[in-house]
Amino acid sequence: MLKANIAVFVSGGGTNLQALIDAEKSGIIKSGEIKLVVSNKVDAYGLVRAKDNNIKTAVISRKEYGDNFSKKLIEILEENNIDIIVLAGYLAILDEEFTKKYDSRIINIHPSLIPSFCGKGYYGLKVHEAALEYGVKVSGATVHYVNEVPDGGKIIAQKAVEVKPNDTPEILQKRIMEEAEWIILPQSTELVCKKYMESKD
Ligand code: GRF
């Protein structure tokens, strides 16, 4: 069966990438195949996870490519015939040239229930620090399409997670990853790949 070619963008530990790799192996993701892992950080552990699973990697940083950053990203995606892009803990900003070219084909996992605790400056532990500071009793994760507005695209999936009285940002982050991110990102990736492949029929 024909599958969508997926590129996963990472900047850190890559536990969401690992969840995607495992989901492809278990058949949760069957309409797409991870063909490339791209990072803006040469030391991202997500690159090690990719190599351990014989997945091609590339490091493309704005520092190195400056104004040609988007062009370089597009070049490597076209070289690998990439159809769908999954941002899994990716911290570089993608400009409008890029998001327009891949309109409705880029998805992102954000560790809160958008529209809470999202947008400029809300990433990684900062999201959970803000949730605990506000005193919310429920948080969670969101998968959404990516457009030119940070965390602004149409929501695809969300999953709520209980906030517990003695949570630290680290404990809450871990619970949201385990109970939400690693579940809804593979599910959403399968949904978007399936939709894309059907649109090509
Ligand atoms: C995750 O919490 C994700 O929601 C956020 O950054 C973190 C990345 O974790 N965008 P990992 O690199 O997938 O382990």
Side-chain angles (χ1 to χ4, degrees), residues 10-138:
V10 300
S11 296
T15 63
N16 277 285
L17 166 66
Q18 191 62 57
L20 293 167
I21 291 169
D22 297 345
E24 193 183 326
K25 286 182 180 154
S26 70
I28 290 172
I29 296 176
K30 50 182 179 295
S31 305
E33 198 172 346
I34 302 169
K35 293 287 196 185
L36 178 68
V37 171
V38 177
S39 183
N40 59 322
K41 300 271 184 213
V42 67
D43 59 349
Y45 190 67
L47 294 169
V48 174
R49 294 179 191 273
K51 287 171 189 155
D52 287 352
N53 288 276
N54 303 311
I55 299 168
K56 193 174 173 184
T57 61
V59 178
I60 299 173
S61 69
R62 199 180 289 283
K63 199 163 57 202
E64 190 179 349
Y65 290 98
D67 292 344
N68 290 322
F69 179 64
S70 286
K71 279 179 184 42
K72 187 66 190 166
L73 278 176
I74 291 167
E75 186 184 301
I76 192 129
L77 292 172
E78 289 181 339
E79 271 169 25
N80 289 275
N81 303 310
I82 297 301
D83 302 304
I84 301 292
I85 298 157
V86 182
L87 308 186
Y90 185 65
L91 297 179
I93 302 296
L94 298 167
D95 65 19
E96 199 160 351
E97 172 195 8
F98 188 87
T99 58
K100 284 264 183 283
K101 179 172 176 56
Y102 287 95
D103 182 40
S104 304
R105 293 196 285 153
I106 313 171
I107 66 175
N108 178 53
I109 178 84
H110 181 76
S112 75
L113 296 175
I114 289 176
S116 298
F117 314 116
C118 67
K120 199 166 164 40
Y122 284 103
Y123 57 88
L125 276 179
K126 292 174 188 288
V127 175
H128 307 296
E129 286 162 6
L132 292 172
E133 175 66 29
Y134 200 100
V136 295
K137 304 307 173 193
V138 173

Side-chain angles (χ1 to χ4, degrees), residues 153-172:
K154 182 169 172 286
I155 289 174
I156 299 167
Q158 292 190 303
K159 193 165 191 309
V161 172
E162 183 192 4
V163 179
K164 297 186 175 173
N166 301 318
D167 275 349
T168 62
E170 291 76 7
I171 292 171
L172 181 57

